[in-house]
Amino acid sequence: MAITWAAGVVGMQPSLAAESAFDPPALYLTWQGDPTTTMTVNWQTEDEVKPELFWRDRGSKADWVRAPGSSTPLPGSDRTIHRVKLEGLKPGGAYEFCFWPGETKFHFKTAPADLSQPVRFVSGGDVYHERPFMDTMNRLAGKLDPLFVIIGGDLAYSCERAIKPEKMERWVAFWDSWKKQARGPDGRLIPMLVTIGNHEAHGSYRQKPGMAAAYYAQFPTPGNRGYEAVDFGGYMSVVLLDSDITHPMDGDQLAWLGQTLRERRNVPHIFPVYHVPAYPCFRSDVEGESAELTQEVRRLWCPLFEEAGVKLAFENHDHAYKRSHPIKGGKIDPEGIVYLGDGAWGVRLRRPDRTRWYLKKADAIRHLFLVTVSREGQHAVAVNDRGEFFDEVYRATGRK
């Protein structure tokens, strides 16, 4: 039960003890600004609640600070999404928040200001075919204690190719698993960055943003534009892209990508993330609709990645493990980009075609990547669903 506080006053003693604490069925963290100084808290309810929370330094005895937010309906659902953006936070800080002083506290960390200490994140995609698979991998992601998680599309598998009502019950299960399982070893909430996959949109590929209304309502970044760069101070940029699910790869997105990468030419760590792979390990790369998109990624985006000095790119969609040879100009080149994928977080697996010229290693393994970023380089370790490290790649940045 909520505790009654003097109206509008934070830090006063409660006047009445009350019922059980508010505990929303979906609670997740995202970013709408620099992860070193901001955090966006999102939660969902079926009832009307005031979109606000209270926060402070973790473990502090200081008064709680009230932070108002906003609410929006979740399309196709009885739920409402509530969102509060916290700003002016300290880099590398530990914070706690609650929905009313005296109730359950949740906590998180902001990104550090620089790479004086290495930063770790987890990347993967294609999350939810079966609940036990998803629970296992979400729990593993939290156990690895990353600063944040990247999911490259196909989160809840709520949309089929045919246009029909979205399976919103799958989003309910996705958020229930995420809230319960994807926690750091100390119980902290782990922020997520996402890109869109074909199972977030009615009709799969080459759709309009309105065909992925639930996805766009739930994730404030990248927003309705569908693509965005999230900049961690001046040391790392995660470039979230839409591989023609709801925005064409050419045109506005291509112009934006070129400009975005040029503006970050001095950023030592740039990680593109998108759903449909340039170098798929299972689907054909020469025929079919997915292959057409694959060829577009190679033709339009890969040259820009190479020019920007990208070392690792994260791909998804094919439901198997993949590590490519370093590739530049469409050929194996030690100075090229290693493409990691291919989206096998919590899905049923496929047997990859290991004969393809660009594959260094591929197998039917459910996995995620644990990536450590330092001043010297990028170290990606592949971790299977038993928590075993089974492959790795290290790329020096060439910039400090």
Side-chain angles (χ1 to χ4, degrees):
M1 160 169 209
I3 300 173
T4 303
W5 292 71
V9 179
V10 180
M12 296 187 65
Q13 293 301 312
S15 57
L16 290 174
E19 313 160 11
S20 59
F22 172 64
D23 191 13
L27 175 64
Y28 55 104
L29 305 179
T30 55
W31 280 304
Q32 294 171 284
D34 187 338
T36 69
T37 58
T38 73
M39 186 67 71
T40 298
V41 181
N42 310 267
W43 70 101
Q44 299 177 10
T45 63
E46 293 181 1
D47 303 317
E48 280 193 28
V49 300
K50 198 170 185 179
E52 66 178 14
L53 55 79
F54 301 84
W55 67 278
R56 65 187 181 188
D57 289 344
R58 189 183 181 203
S60 170
K61 300 301 182 183
D63 291 347
W64 292 97
V65 179
R66 176 181 173 272
S70 61
S71 298
T72 186
L74 175 56
S77 167
D78 293 333
R79 287 188 172 186
T80 299
I81 305 162
H82 312 281
R83 182 166 294 137
V84 170
K85 181 180 179 182
L86 301 177
E87 300 179 283
L89 306 179
K90 295 175 293 189
Y95 293 92
E96 61 188 14
F97 69 91
C98 61
F99 294 101
W100 194 258
E103 292 192 349
T104 303
K105 291 185 289 188
F106 305 92
H107 61 103
F108 64 85
K109 294 192 300 189
T110 55
D114 54 37
L115 286 177
S116 54
Q117 296 293 325
V119 167
R120 293 190 302 180
F121 67 87
V122 159
S123 182
D126 298 80
V127 176
Y128 177 26
H129 271 177
E130 297 178 21
R131 180 69 185 260
F133 296 161
M134 175 171 62
D135 283 350
T136 295
M137 298 302 284
N138 285 351
R139 188 162 52 248
L140 174 61
K143 191 175 181 180
L144 292 170
D145 199 22
L147 176 67
F148 64 98
V149 168
I150 303 172
I151 301 179
D154 285 2
L155 286 76
Y157 280 79
S158 58
C159 290
E160 301 294 342
R161 187 174 182 86
I163 298 174
K164 55 186 176 183
E166 186 164 357
K167 297 177 180 178
M168 298 305 295
E169 69 275 9
R170 293 190 65 85
W171 280 114
V172 169
F174 175 88
W175 290 125
D176 181 65
S177 177
W178 186 262
K179 180 187 172 188
K180 292 176 179 176
Q181 307 297 338
R183 298 288 190 97
D186 62 353
R188 70 184 175 87
L189 300 176
I190 298 174
M192 60 164 59
L193 296 174
V194 300
T195 60
I196 191 168
N198 53 296
H199 285 283
E200 271 79 64
H202 296 294
S204 290
Y205 311 107
R206 299 188 172 108
Q207 302 300 316
K208 300 294 185 184
M211 301 303 281
Y215 170 85
Y216 281 117
Q218 292 180 99
F219 298 104
T221 295
N224 288 333
R225 186 173 59 179
Y227 42 91
E228 188 61 89
V230 180
D231 298 315
F232 292 69
Y235 60 87
M236 178 169 64
S237 295
V238 177
V239 183
L240 305 166
L241 296 169
D242 182 342
S243 48
D244 209 347
I245 310 301
T246 56
H247 294 83
M249 286 184 248
D250 208 341
D252 290 346
Q253 185 172 193
L254 182 63
W256 172 87
L257 178 59
Q259 180 65 25
T260 294
L261 294 176
R262 286 190 294 274
E263 290 171 350
R264 287 157 182 79
R265 60 185 178 274
N266 293 321
V267 175
H269 300 283
I270 300 175
F271 297 104
V273 184
Y274 45 94
H275 191 65
V276 177
Y279 294 97
C281 68
F282 174 78
R283 288 178 173 86
S284 172
D285 63 340
V286 295
E287 59 182 1
E289 187 173 26
S290 185
E292 292 175 8
L293 300 182
T294 281
Q295 292 298 327
E296 283 194 38
V297 178
R298 291 185 191 178
R299 178 174 61 88
L300 298 172
W301 290 356
C302 291
L304 297 179
F305 298 161
E306 293 167 7
E307 184 180 352
V310 169
K311 300 297 183 183
L312 297 175
F314 293 95
E315 308 187 318
N316 299 277
H317 192 44
D318 267 19
H319 304 180
Y321 176 74
K322 170 197 75 185
R323 172 166 61 91
S324 78
H325 291 282
I327 299 169
K328 186 176 182 179
K331 298 178 182 178
I332 296 174
D333 185 320
E335 299 301 315
I337 299 168
V338 174
Y339 294 84
L340 297 174
D342 258 342
W345 187 293
V347 290
R348 293 179 289 276
L349 298 170
R350 294 170 173 149
R351 184 67 58 185
D353 177 4
R354 296 193 187 96
T355 66
R356 298 183 185 181
W357 65 267
Y358 49 78
L359 293 178
K360 176 66 174 178
K361 185 167 184 175
D363 208 340
I365 301 175
R366 200 166 293 114
H367 69 279
L368 50 76
F369 293 100
L370 176 64
V371 184
T372 302
V373 180
S374 67
R375 287 173 173 168
E376 292 75 28
Q378 306 159 4
H379 183 211
V381 176
V383 189
N384 67 20
D385 55 3
R386 297 185 298 277
E388 300 165 339
F389 295 180
F390 67 91
D391 195 20
E392 65 180 333
V393 60
Y394 176 80
R395 308 305 306 283
T397 62
R399 290 178 282 184
K400 301 263 181 99

